[in-house]
Amino acid sequence: MRSHFCGQLNESFIGQRVTLCGWADVSRNLGGVCFIDLRDHEGIVQVVAEPDNPAYAVAADVGYEYCLKVTGTVRARHSVNSKIATGAVEVVAESIEILNTAATLPFYNHENPGEDIRLRYRYLDLRRPEMQRTMRTRTALVQALRRHLDAAGFQDIETPILTKATPEGARDYLVPSRVHPGEFFALPQSPQLFKQLLMMAGMDRYYQIARCFRDEDLRADRQPEFTQLDMEFAFVTEQDIQDFVEGMIRGIFREVQGVELADPFPRMTYAEAMRRYGSDKPDLRIALELVDVAELVKHSEFKVFTDWAGHADGRVAALRVPGGASLSRKQIDDLAAHCAKYGAKGLAWMKVEDLTKGRDGIASPIAKFLDDATLQAVLAAAGAKEGDILFFGAGPYKTVCDFMGALRLKVAKDLDLVAEGWAPLWVTDFPMFEWDEEAQRYVALHHPFTAPKVDDVDDLVANARTAVSRGYDMVLNGNEIGGGSVRIHRTAMQSTVFDLLGISKDEAQAKFGFLLEALQYGAPPHGGIAFGIDRIAALMAGTESIRDVIAFPKTASAQCLLTSAPSPIPDVQLAELHVKVREPE
């Protein structure tokens, strides 16, 4: 139907006859002439319908988002529009065919409709040039990844979508089996076990652009169904994996974004990241760091500090914010409320107004509880300068990390302390386990198939609380974009990890018997990593939410407003699946 795309036309096409198809982005009837901005997925070009041409009568009736076919000749534009790529030319219409009219739309391209409207009419939202750009960025990302991996000898292998439920089954989407009454498949949270089995099958290097599913509470960077680049390597160490994928990501950003990432990426351990930044995915564009001051304040008169300074699992940390003395009391209270969302019981602070005046130059509700020597030691440790504010957090180590890390991000954003550019990072040496107080058992920090640093089973059992894994994450601008590990490849170690996680032998056999059996038949050392395609695409496109780079995303309540899913199922269909619905209590 068409000879060219709208956005492709430039001065080299002047004098050529072209046929274009697209939508009327803007239609202007100026009486003596009609102008239509015709838009397709490549861009916009101006179409001119002059009164001595039959196309004029049709153009006069064109409305917003009418679907059109235009044939005409390209000529130089009298008034160049530098805002669009085709702004130096226009198409003088010989004929305009209305392929379809459009009803009054719920929103216009120049508006900023609410997200509910955008998702309800997603097919219209996707027509917008901004959404076309973000989706093309995603396409370019996936194409570049495939080229890189294909060239490196990886096999693209599909793994099952209908699979077995995991021990953390509450997060699985379940699919009832019609032919096996009372039994269920689960949609995969990742292809983890199948890709390990592929290594045991001698496939050596595997990848897949995998669709994954997780039934969990949503945030801007979470969706119930998401896409990841899944990879696995045989006969490798974590360094082998990291070196390869770091080069891959550096090449992808060069190709898709035209930017050079650091070479090599900085590296830090999980413990260092938590100590310095209060986060296992620190944004290195922010120069602010946490400083431990427990030793300095443990003999002070401020009970909140002394209680936790002497506690084995406690922490007292300070955060210096340059120029923060200008913050109002309301702004400080708002920051305290933000910290409360992450477990803070309060937020102590000091404004450094004049260092030459000693304590008289400090404005703070807690300074009176610190003697002069302690006050000066705290200011020196934090590197305080005039005009700064110091924030303090005290409590359980992990809780202080959480809320002080969240404070660091918010205050940096509020005060414009986030540098431009890209800041990649490897975070390594994650703990093997976290202790779940409520469940009174260990849980895996990555997943139960991650290998520990130690090879000895007895050593792992004896030091489970402090055990370090061979897990690693790739972080970019404060976002975890990839996570992986070297896997357990011996049956005894895998069984021990299951046991430490409170998975009984019977449960392990029922859920993972096929894996434990496969490990007995010469399983090679192997490891891998998975990258969040949605997250990387969102970062490349410069958008806050991954919903902007997913064609048909769900809402924060896991609904599809376009199709009204999820929806009730007729009783007859439920009966065929041997399922009965219980009304919520």
Side-chain angles (χ1 to χ4, degrees):
M1 291 182 71
R2 60 189 170 192
S3 62
H4 297 83
F5 295 117
C6 298
Q8 291 179 333
L9 302 185
N10 55 42
E11 290 168 295
S12 69
F13 287 86
I14 291 175
Q16 290 189 34
R17 192 169 182 268
V18 297
T19 298
L20 309 173
C21 293
W23 289 271
D25 193 73
V26 176
S27 178
R28 305 181 297 278
N29 188 342
L30 304 183
V33 65
C34 285
F35 294 96
I36 298 170
D37 286 351
L38 190 67
R39 185 192 72 246
D40 64 14
H41 75 287
E42 288 282 355
I44 293 176
V45 69
Q46 179 170 278
V47 174
V48 182
E50 297 176 331
D52 58 352
N53 191 290
Y56 178 82
V58 180
D61 291 331
V62 168
Y64 180 58
E65 288 301 295
Y66 275 33
C67 189
L68 307 176
K69 176 181 178 183
V70 175
T71 298
T73 302
V74 180
R75 75 180 181 191
R77 190 165 167 170
H78 296 300
S79 179
V80 173
N81 181 357
S82 59
K83 295 180 180 179
I84 59 175
T86 63
V89 298
E90 60 189 10
V91 176
V92 182
E94 299 171 12
S95 67
I96 298 176
E97 179 184 350
I98 297 176
L99 300 174
N100 213 337
T101 60
T104 301
L105 270 65
F107 63 88
Y108 293 89
N109 278 342
H110 61 271
E111 293 177 344
N112 185 20
E115 188 168 64
D116 284 357
I117 294 293
R118 290 179 58 198
L119 296 182
R120 167 67 180 83
Y121 299 97
R122 188 62 165 180
Y123 46 89
L124 297 178
D125 185 45
L126 288 170
R127 282 189 200 170
R128 296 189 301 120
E130 181 65 16
M131 290 302 297
Q132 291 281 321
R133 182 186 68 82
T134 60
M135 294 306 296
R136 288 170 76 85
T137 297
R138 182 191 179 105
T139 298
L141 165 64
V142 172
Q143 290 174 336
L145 287 168
R146 286 192 182 279
R147 281 194 297 271
H148 192 99
L149 292 166
D150 292 343
F154 281 76
Q155 294 189 70
D156 181 359
I157 304 175
E158 294 180 344
T159 54
I161 291 295
L162 296 176
T163 184
K164 194 176 184 70
T166 64
E168 295 79 19
R171 297 189 300 167
D172 285 331
Y173 279 100
L174 301 178
V175 180
S177 171
R178 180 182 60 83
V179 296
H180 297 282
E183 298 184 353
F184 294 79
F185 294 105
L187 303 182
Q189 295 185 37
S190 85
Q192 180 63 44
L193 294 181
F194 288 106
K195 68 179 181 180
Q196 289 190 237
L197 292 170
L198 287 171
M199 296 304 99
M200 299 171 198
M203 296 303 172
D204 200 79
R205 286 189 166 195
Y206 141 95
Y207 86 95
Q208 182 182 187
I209 306 294
R211 201 71 168 160
C212 303
F213 307 85
R214 192 168 297 166
D215 189 6
E216 64 180 4
D217 295 335
L218 304 183
R219 303 192 298 273
D221 60 346
R222 292 287 189 272
Q223 280 281 293
E225 52 182 316
F226 55 95
T227 306
Q228 66 185 37
L229 167 62
D230 205 57
M231 304 171 63
E232 199 77 4
F233 311 64
F235 302 105
V236 287
T237 65
E238 48 266 66
Q239 190 68 51
D240 296 328
I241 298 167
Q242 292 163 18
D243 288 346
F244 177 84
V245 298
E246 179 180 319
M248 177 186 74
I249 293 297
R250 194 179 296 112
I252 297 312
F253 269 80
R254 183 184 305 118
E255 182 177 340
V256 179
Q257 294 293 98
V259 299
E260 290 290 339
L261 300 182
D263 184 6
F265 290 0
R267 307 171 70 85
M268 70 176 63
T269 64
Y270 170 90
E272 181 184 359
M274 297 300 285
R275 177 177 57 81
R276 294 174 61 187
Y277 304 107
S279 171
D280 60 1
K281 50 181 180 182
D283 189 342
L284 297 189
R285 297 174 302 165
I286 301 169
L288 311 182
E289 293 193 25
L290 306 182
V291 176
D292 286 311
V293 295
E295 284 298 311
L296 303 177
V297 301
K298 64 182 180 181
H299 299 302
S300 72
E301 296 179 9
F302 192 42
K303 192 172 186 301
V304 176
F305 284 177
T306 56
D307 283 351
W308 289 105
H311 196 289
D313 294 322
R315 185 178 194 188
V316 184
L319 178 70
R320 180 180 76 90
V321 181
S326 62
L327 291 171
S328 68
R329 185 56 187 264
K330 181 182 183 307
Q331 288 174 306
I332 293 173
D333 290 343
D334 288 344
L335 291 172
H338 181 73
C339 290
K341 299 175 186 177
Y342 297 87
K345 303 296 184 184
L347 185 65
W349 52 272
M350 287 183 187
K351 288 186 177 182
V352 184
E353 295 177 341
D354 190 340
L355 283 172
T356 64
K357 294 182 179 180
R359 77 168 49 249
D360 291 337
I362 304 298
S364 170
I366 67 164
K368 61 187 177 183
F369 298 109
L370 309 179
D371 60 37
D372 288 348
T374 300
L375 180 60
Q376 290 303 315
V378 168
L379 293 173
K385 298 178 181 178
E386 289 182 10
D388 294 347
I389 189 170
L390 304 185
F391 290 107
F392 298 89
Y397 194 94
K398 180 65 165 58
T399 302
V400 172
C401 289
D402 288 346
F403 74 76
M404 291 296 281
L407 172 67
R408 173 180 175 269
L409 294 178
K410 180 165 176 56
V411 76
K413 185 175 181 180
D414 290 351
L415 299 183
D416 197 24
L417 299 176
V418 183
E420 293 294 326
W422 300 95
L425 169 71
W426 280 110
V427 178
T428 65
D429 296 350
F430 280 78
M432 271 293 287
F433 309 110
E434 281 186 318
W435 181 254
D436 187 323
E437 284 292 342
E438 186 176 342
Q440 285 295 296
R441 68 177 181 90
Y442 288 116
V443 294
L445 199 69
H446 264 110
H447 54 60
F449 317 108
T450 296
K453 284 270 189 178
V454 297
D455 290 328
D456 184 75
V457 166
D458 293 336
D459 191 344
L460 178 64
V461 173
N463 300 288
R465 185 176 289 271
T466 57
V468 174
S469 78
R470 297 177 72 179
Y472 38 82
D473 284 354
M474 184 183 287
V475 176
L476 183 63
N477 290 6
N479 299 275
E480 177 207 328
I481 62 170
S485 67
V486 170
R487 323 302 188 188
I488 298 168
H489 71 283
R490 294 192 176 99
T491 307
M493 181 62 78
Q494 187 64 78
S495 295
T496 299
V497 169
F498 285 156
D499 187 52
L500 287 168
L501 293 172
I503 300 173
S504 70
K505 285 183 171 53
D506 288 344
E507 184 183 7
Q509 187 60 39
K511 294 185 179 295
F512 303 113
F514 62 94
L515 174 68
L516 293 171
E517 183 178 41
L519 290 172
Q520 299 177 45
Y521 295 108
H526 60 283
I529 193 167
F531 286 96
I533 296 290
D534 311 306
R535 169 49 49 203
I536 298 174
L539 287 169
M540 286 182 163
T543 181
E544 291 291 323
S545 173
I546 63 171
R547 289 193 285 274
D548 286 336
V549 293
I550 298 173
F552 299 102
K554 305 295 189 290
T555 66
S557 58
Q559 292 178 299
C560 175
L561 299 183
L562 176 63
T563 62
S564 298
S567 59
I569 299 298
D571 288 342
V572 64
Q573 191 173 355
L574 290 174
E576 190 177 38
L577 294 170
H578 317 286
V579 171
K580 186 174 183 179
V581 176
R582 290 174 52 185
E583 293 296 326
E585 297 179 3

